[in-house]
Amino acid sequence: MGIDRYDQEMHPRCPPLGGEVPFYHCRRVNRGLPCHRIVLCWADRVDIASFIRENYSQEEIEAMSRPPESRLAVMLETAQRVKKERGR
């Protein structure tokens, strides 16, 4: 089975967003890696432990387990990246 096998599954409530989200969102939201809450949110819906073991390296698992950066830090990083891309 591929990494997208659960993508159409829906979770009734995403704690950070406050609404229903597809698994696809949860597995990509952290700079292409799963949300740090993916195990808590999805354990009762899919075989999340096997999914993570099968699809991510140990380094990726450690990265996704860290708490997310603050929203301000992400916004500043994005602004810097856009500025650099535009050559300013």
Side-chain angles (χ1 to χ4, degrees):
M1 293 182 132
I3 194 166
D4 61 351
R5 70 180 175 249
Y6 298 123
D7 280 358
Q8 300 309 309
E9 297 285 328
M10 296 296 289
H11 196 281
R13 186 176 180 284
C14 170
L17 298 178
E20 186 176 61
V21 295
F23 185 79
Y24 174 78
H25 169 79
C26 301
R27 76 173 175 85
R28 306 263 315 146
V29 72
N30 186 11
R31 293 191 169 118
L33 293 174
C35 174
H36 73 285
R37 296 175 180 250
I38 197 165
V39 173
L40 294 171
C41 292
W42 288 92
D44 64 337
R45 297 178 180 279
V46 300
D47 184 2
I48 196 67
S50 294
F51 174 83
I52 289 172
R53 270 194 316 273
E54 292 168 8
N55 292 288
Y56 299 98
S57 68
Q58 186 60 39
E59 294 81 23
E60 290 171 322
I61 292 170
E62 290 171 11
M64 75 177 78
S65 299
R66 290 185 210 113
E69 292 184 45
S70 72
R71 288 183 182 178
L72 178 59
V74 172
M75 289 169 49
L76 291 173
E77 180 181 311
T78 302
Q80 288 295 328
R81 183 175 36 88
V82 169
K83 186 176 177 181
K84 186 185 230 182
E85 288 171 1
R86 292 185 177 173
R88 296 180 186 195

